[in-house]
Amino acid sequence: MSTGTRPPVRVGHEQLMSLIDHTSAVIYMRDVDGHYLLVNREYERLFNLHRDEIVGLTDHDLFEGPIADDFRANDLAAIARGVPLQVEEQAPGEDGMHTYVTVKFPLHDEHGHAYAICGISTDITARKRAEEEVRRLNDELELRVRQRTAELEASTRELDSFAYSVSHDLRAPLRSLEGFSQVLLEDYAGDLDDEAQGYLKRIQANVGRMAQMIDDLLHLSRATRSQLRRDAFDLSALAQEVASEVGDPSRSVTWDIADGMTAQGDPHLVRLVLQNLLGNAWKFTAHAADPVISVTVHPQSGVDVFEIRDNGAGFDMKYADKMFDPFQRLHSAGEFEGTGIGLAIVHRIITRHGGRILAEGVVGEGAAFRFNLTPAPADWELR
């Protein structure tokens, strides 16, 4: 069997034209004076001209002046550089101006002189239009964000004004009610029977409850509006400090606060969380025989989950979804005092930190509140 080599295949003009005619790019060649020497089928299709009608013409014969001027300037730049040049060019299409990425390069004779310029253009109009649409949508979104931010700032100012009004305007009549009822009890006690004095004491108790509700509403407002900081802090030490504040030496409670707990968040806002959760635990263990309140941490899939647990009154789980709403109470005011706002404050602070909170309880056996203070993966579940 012969193992001789095949003779080289000579590629002629027809083969080269067949090659460039079967590509989606626009391919053309012009002489150094700008006259067309050849174009491919894609050029014919885009500009609805036959190649025999194009050869010998210049861009100024085919396009408007500014477009032709740009084409010619890019040709001359590629010739002057002597190496391939990539530029963006625009040409008219059936649906408006189209944008092309064009590579232009000169052809040289044996003496190194440029005698022609070749161009290969790829239509990137769809990409450009998509980019422009994205820019337009981003600009529109940015405008909406600015408008929404301005609206929120205006709403915040209104809330500030309302909070001040509530704090200032309501406290004055409350002080009058408390003051006059106290005067009646002190100066006219001999003229009042036990029932009348009981009514006055109930007025004073409700005045105190209203004042506490005003304070809690202001805390709720601040928990929503105050600037959030993120610092590393000792949560164990903070819990110990809050426990000493909410506790009462007249009651014996076992505090089980784990050592070494640290967290990332706003210490001032987290203090409010602990004040409400530990305060509730203290309050709802009032009737427990051996009250125990614990603060622990349980990492879950790389997320620190803090737990506050007590063995107090507990609650019915069918009401668990409502307990973080303002003014929702699961126990009567006569049984346990409170305004029903504390857990709403807790929920808002933890949500602002990017965390979640979960409550579990059994009537007569106690309650547990678990929460995290750092954002967790979307598929992460607090348990």
Side-chain angles (χ1 to χ4, degrees), residues 62-84:
L62 300 172
F63 302 100
E64 294 181 358
I67 296 174
D69 290 342
D70 287 342
F71 290 167
R72 182 59 178 161
N74 292 333
D75 287 356
L76 294 175
I79 292 172
R81 291 182 58 177
V83 294

Side-chain angles (χ1 to χ4, degrees), residues 305-327:
V305 175
F306 301 98
E307 179 184 85
I308 296 178
R309 178 180 292 273
D310 67 70
N311 62 344
F315 61 88
D316 192 330
M317 283 295 291
K318 69 181 179 181
Y319 301 115
D321 292 339
K322 298 180 179 180
M323 65 194 313
F324 295 108
D325 295 334
F327 304 111

Side-chain angles (χ1 to χ4, degrees), residues 56-298:
L57 300 179
T58 69
D59 285 325
H60 285 86
D61 298 318
L62 300 172
F63 302 100
E64 294 181 358
I67 296 174
D69 290 342
D70 287 342
F71 290 167
R72 182 59 178 161
N74 292 333
D75 287 356
L76 294 175
I79 292 172
R81 291 182 58 177
V83 294
L85 173 69
Q86 180 173 302
V87 293
E88 281 193 11
E89 296 180 322
Q90 287 193 315
E94 293 182 355
D95 58 346
M97 295 297 290
H98 278 229
T99 302
Y100 296 84
V101 169
T102 299
V103 176
K104 295 188 174 185
F105 55 93
L107 298 179
H108 298 94
D109 59 22
E110 64 272 16
H111 302 295
H113 299 133
Y115 66 88
I117 184 79
C118 291
I120 303 174
S121 300
T122 303
D123 193 338
I124 60 168
T125 304
R127 190 188 81 193
K128 282 288 187 180
R129 289 176 179 173
E131 290 173 352
E132 182 59 33
E133 179 66 9
V134 169
R135 279 193 294 271
R136 186 189 67 79
L137 291 173
N138 283 338
D139 291 342
E140 184 177 318
L141 179 60
E142 186 177 345
L143 176 61
R144 289 182 179 179
V145 168
R146 286 199 299 268
Q147 291 173 339
R148 183 61 177 155
T149 300
E151 292 171 0
L152 288 173
E153 288 175 350
S155 297
T156 298
R157 287 193 295 270
E158 291 177 3
L159 283 172
D160 287 340
S161 177
F162 174 74
Y164 175 81
S165 176
V166 167
S167 175
H168 183 269
D169 296 344
L170 287 184
R171 287 184 192 277
L174 284 177
R175 283 194 297 267
S176 294
L177 281 172
E178 199 279 333
F180 284 124
S181 60
Q182 186 63 33
V183 168
L184 287 172
L185 284 172
E186 291 178 355
D187 296 348
Y188 298 93
D191 300 325
L192 300 173
D193 59 21
D194 291 343
E195 184 177 10
Q197 293 187 43
Y199 289 148
L200 289 173
K201 289 177 181 177
R202 289 173 64 181
I203 289 174
Q204 288 185 321
N206 280 284
V207 166
R209 187 166 181 269
M210 179 63 74
Q212 183 61 51
M213 188 174 293
I214 291 172
D215 289 338
D216 287 346
L217 283 171
L218 290 174
H219 285 148
L220 180 61
S221 176
R222 294 190 187 108
T224 303
R225 297 181 293 102
S226 62
Q227 184 176 359
L228 181 70
R229 296 166 41 205
R230 279 204 177 272
D231 298 320
F233 64 94
D234 187 336
L235 190 135
S236 293
L238 185 59
Q240 292 279 8
E241 186 179 323
V242 172
S244 66
E245 295 171 358
V246 302
D248 185 340
S250 64
R251 277 183 54 202
S252 176
V253 173
T254 299
W255 291 95
D256 182 12
I257 299 175
D259 294 326
M261 293 185 295
T262 60
Q264 284 278 347
D266 190 315
H268 298 294
L269 291 178
V270 176
R271 170 181 278 274
L272 271 177
V273 170
L274 295 177
Q275 284 174 341
N276 281 285
L277 293 180
L278 294 180
N280 280 352
W282 171 269
K283 177 170 60 178
F284 292 118
T285 54
H287 306 311
D290 297 301
V292 178
I293 301 171
S294 64
V295 184
T296 53
V297 62
H298 308 279

